[in-house]
Amino acid sequence: MARAIELHDIGMVFASRQGSVHALDEVSFGAEAGEFLCIVGPSGCGKTTLLKILAGLLFASTGTVQVNGESVRGPISNVGMVFQSPVLMPWRTVLDNIMLQVEVRNLDRGKYRQVALGLLQLVGLAGFERKYPYQLSGGMQQRVSICRALIHDPALLLMDEPFGAIDALTREQMNLELQRIWLDHKKTVVFVTHSIPEAVFLADRVLVMSARPGRLLKVFDVELPRPRTLETMAEPRFSRMVTHIRREMQAHGGLE
Amino acid sequence: MSLWYLVIAMTRISDSILPAPHQVAFEFLDKYALLVRHTLITLQEVALGLLVGVPLGVASAVVLVWSPALERAIMPWVVFLQNVPKIVVAPLFVIWFGFGIGTKIVIVCMLVIFPILVTTIVGLKSVEPDMLDLIRTMGASKWQVFYKARLPGALPSFFSGLKLSATFAAIGAIVGEWMGADAGLGYYLLVAQHNVQTKALFASIVLVAVIGLLLYQLAVVSERVLLRWHVSVREEETRRVRA
């Protein structure tokens, strides 16, 4: 069986008026179905670019991308995406924002309405379906965007620093929720983050990238048992792993 | 208002130069039927001009956003035309479209289209890039991107344009009537000026302002209904609730 995702020798050069920018260089990795990958790296190392290439929203200058054994030649659709900002439509209610996914895909609205309500329950937003985004906190809005990414039950979930703009307490909560959702649904997840502890907490494997041009420096297997809890973060092997990854990044000038 | 009376009392100015407010008010009562007739004609020209001009402006904006090449080719000409004062081309329209209502509608259209076009283009383009990426991963067609994301997102800008247009529209109708007409407030203004009927002039000015105000309020009300979610409307509502 083909791997869920497979990137081979990805290179990316952006041409701009100030000259060309070498964003990614020879990045290769893959993931099995149901695997949780975290990508950490310094700002501007091309993490977002990598995610967009994977989604088929950008075309790599060199290299090949496969999702479920098929070459990516345009936007892939068996995917859910979550960005750093919630990207909700301010004129739609919470429920209608989630249903956008269903409407655009021409799925059965009646059936998926129930799915949407179930997902809202799952992320602790039951009763908020008729609210508008502006009536919700940043953390709640981001949960709505996660529901929108999950409603069509995609095989692949791409998350680009989804909790980057959320306060530390809510962030821990969101990490727990995300882990729970993932344990329930067993999707392949590629999760980009700045936070090494977050990556170690969530991932099966942590991919460490270098500063521009982004290269894959090292891959760490995280063998902490699941479900991980807030106590997991207090364990010595957790902090050992975090320190280990931080040293790796420092060694390559990735952290100031 | 008191300042107005004060000036009249101090300068002992003739009421054929500056009539007092109550004299203007009496003018309304005296010439009620006549004023209403002329007002309705001007209002009709303004309304028809808006009814043609606003959809035309929106449609042009949609076409230009749809095709960037067309926008690059056409937009400079639109801006160039906008910089020709409409009043200068008005005589030309009289030759082309005659002294009837057609000329007035065309002039109103010309004044109305530009603000609508410019603001709607900005609105249609102001979708977040992340939203566009997101909706593309949903497999959206170009049409779906347009009416699910671009069109609703363009409404706040569009309404700014509509409010500007609503106030410009009356100017167009009056200018059109000045070029040649046998009815309407613009026509009535000219007649009043000719006969030095200052009270009638003031009455007409008030009525032109009322038309502009009416259309502006219409735009504001429809904005409030359609844009409940938008920050500008929300703030307004909160203030009104508190007050």
Side-chain angles (χ1 to χ4, degrees):
Chain A
M1 202 183 130
R3 300 182 85 186
I5 55 175
E6 187 74 69
L7 289 84
H8 186 68
D9 255 349
I10 295 296
M12 188 74 186
V13 179
F14 288 107
S16 76
R17 224 166 275 177
Q18 287 80 35
S20 61
V21 176
H22 201 168
L24 290 170
D25 191 31
E26 290 184 3
V27 177
S28 300
F29 67 90
E32 306 301 330
E35 207 175 0
F36 201 125
L37 290 191
C38 279
I39 302 176
V40 290
S43 301
C45 75
K47 302 185 292 274
T48 299
T49 306
L50 194 58
L51 221 53
K52 285 190 177 170
I53 289 173
L54 192 46
L57 293 166
L58 277 177
F59 291 102
S61 312
T62 59
T64 57
V65 187
Q66 291 194 326
V67 173
N68 288 323
E70 280 180 41
S71 289
V72 173
R73 292 203 179 79
I76 57 173
S77 61
N78 193 4
V79 66
M81 281 199 90
V82 181
F83 299 87
Q84 180 168 3
S85 64
V87 213
L88 300 175
M89 291 178 165
W91 56 87
R92 283 176 174 249
T93 60
V94 163
L95 183 64
D96 287 344
N97 262 292
I98 302 174
M99 291 298 283
L100 177 73
Q101 185 86 260
V102 174
E103 291 168 25
V104 173
R105 291 171 187 272
N106 282 320
L107 303 172
D108 180 346
R109 291 186 199 199
K111 181 184 146 206
Y112 278 94
R113 217 186 110 87
Q114 295 310 313
V115 182
L117 292 173
L119 282 168
L120 280 170
Q121 183 110 39
L122 183 73
V123 299
L125 283 179
F128 284 85
E129 56 271 8
R130 281 164 190 274
K131 299 272 186 220
Y132 283 88
Y134 72 88
Q135 296 169 304
L136 270 55
S137 71
M140 290 155 107
Q141 291 184 15
Q142 196 59 291
R143 283 179 230 192
V144 174
S145 85
I146 292 173
C147 292
R148 182 183 56 195
L150 290 172
I151 187 162
H152 53 302
D153 198 23
L156 179 61
L157 200 55
L158 300 178
M159 308 182 88
D160 188 5
E161 293 182 47
F163 309 137
I166 290 173
D167 66 276
L169 281 175
T170 315
R171 191 169 184 162
E172 283 181 350
Q173 213 55 49
M174 301 285 280
N175 284 338
L176 285 168
E177 277 176 26
L178 179 61
Q179 178 187 234
R180 202 185 56 201
I181 292 169
W182 174 76
L183 286 172
D184 280 356
H185 292 76
K186 275 293 173 190
K187 299 186 181 312
T188 314
V189 183
V190 181
F191 185 105
V192 162
T193 177
H194 270 121
S195 158
I196 300 171
E198 183 173 70
V200 173
F201 181 82
L202 288 169
D204 292 326
R205 278 191 295 149
V206 179
L207 279 56
V208 181
M209 287 182 68
S210 70
R212 187 176 296 155
R215 288 196 180 88
L216 198 54
L217 289 176
K218 207 160 182 181
V219 179
F220 293 85
D221 288 309
V222 185
E223 271 150 12
L224 300 164
R226 304 224 188 225
R228 298 170 192 163
T229 62
L230 293 180
E231 283 73 51
T232 310
M233 288 197 238
E235 284 179 31
R237 49 183 175 169
F238 183 87
S239 31
R240 260 204 309 277
M241 184 116 233
V242 171
T243 314
H244 210 60
I245 295 175
R246 185 164 284 134
R247 284 220 187 96
E248 182 67 32
M249 284 174 79
Q250 270 163 343
H252 290 83
L255 293 176
E256 289 83 34
Chain B
M1 207 65 121
S2 3
L3 191 69
W4 190 341
Y5 276 112
L6 197 66
V7 169
I8 289 169
M10 284 181 33
T11 58
R12 291 156 186 262
I13 202 162
S14 148
D15 68 357
S16 63
I17 304 286
L18 182 62
H22 68 271
Q23 288 175 304
V24 176
F26 284 137
E27 180 78 9
F28 278 111
L29 296 176
D30 271 2
K31 307 246 172 74
Y32 174 74
L34 189 69
L35 285 170
V36 166
R37 189 169 77 84
H38 288 299
T39 305
L40 284 180
I41 285 171
T42 302
L43 189 61
Q44 190 193 5
E45 292 161 0
V46 170
L48 286 173
L50 280 168
L51 280 177
V52 178
V54 172
L56 216 57
V58 171
S60 327
V62 169
V63 170
L64 294 188
V65 170
W66 200 274
S67 158
L70 211 58
E71 188 188 356
R72 276 194 300 276
I74 287 179
M75 225 26 214
W77 290 100
V78 174
V79 174
F80 171 75
L81 284 177
Q82 175 63 12
N83 280 289
V84 179
K86 300 299 164 292
I87 195 158
V88 177
V89 286
L92 200 59
F93 290 147
V94 175
I95 294 177
W96 289 347
F97 306 109
F99 289 103
I101 194 168
T103 300
K104 284 89 182 175
I105 293 175
V106 171
I107 297 174
V108 174
C109 268
M110 284 202 65
L111 283 165
V112 159
I113 286 179
F114 191 73
I116 294 279
L117 178 67
V118 171
T119 52
T120 309
I121 286 181
V122 170
L124 289 172
K125 283 185 178 173
S126 58
V127 194
E128 283 176 83
D130 279 351
M131 177 56 81
L132 289 179
D133 277 347
L134 183 82
I135 203 164
R136 281 170 68 204
T137 65
M138 300 178 183
S141 64
K142 214 175 171 187
W143 168 243
Q144 280 178 319
V145 174
F146 178 74
Y147 81 87
K148 297 263 188 218
R150 285 192 193 276
L151 211 56
L155 280 180
S157 275
F158 163 78
F159 273 109
S160 310
L162 188 64
K163 284 190 265 184
L164 286 173
S165 294
T167 54
F168 290 157
I171 303 174
I174 299 295
V175 167
E177 286 170 8
W178 283 352
M179 290 299 127
D182 51 13
L185 285 173
Y187 163 81
Y188 190 67
L189 271 163
L190 284 186
V191 173
Q193 181 209 26
H194 194 74
N195 301 330
V196 202
Q197 293 168 317
T198 319
K199 283 174 264 183
L201 275 175
F202 269 96
S204 320
I205 292 169
V206 170
L207 286 170
V208 174
V210 166
I211 291 181
L213 212 63
L214 200 77
L215 292 168
Y216 183 82
Q217 281 307 320
L218 204 65
V220 169
V221 168
S222 39
E223 183 182 36
R224 251 189 222 136
V225 173
L226 281 169
L227 290 188
R228 283 181 181 282
W229 52 271
H230 194 251
V231 64
S232 63
V233 175
R234 266 163 25 218
E235 295 267 302
E236 188 102 333
E237 302 262 305
T238 327
R239 267 207 304 279
R240 286 197 309 182
V241 168
R242 285 204 193 112

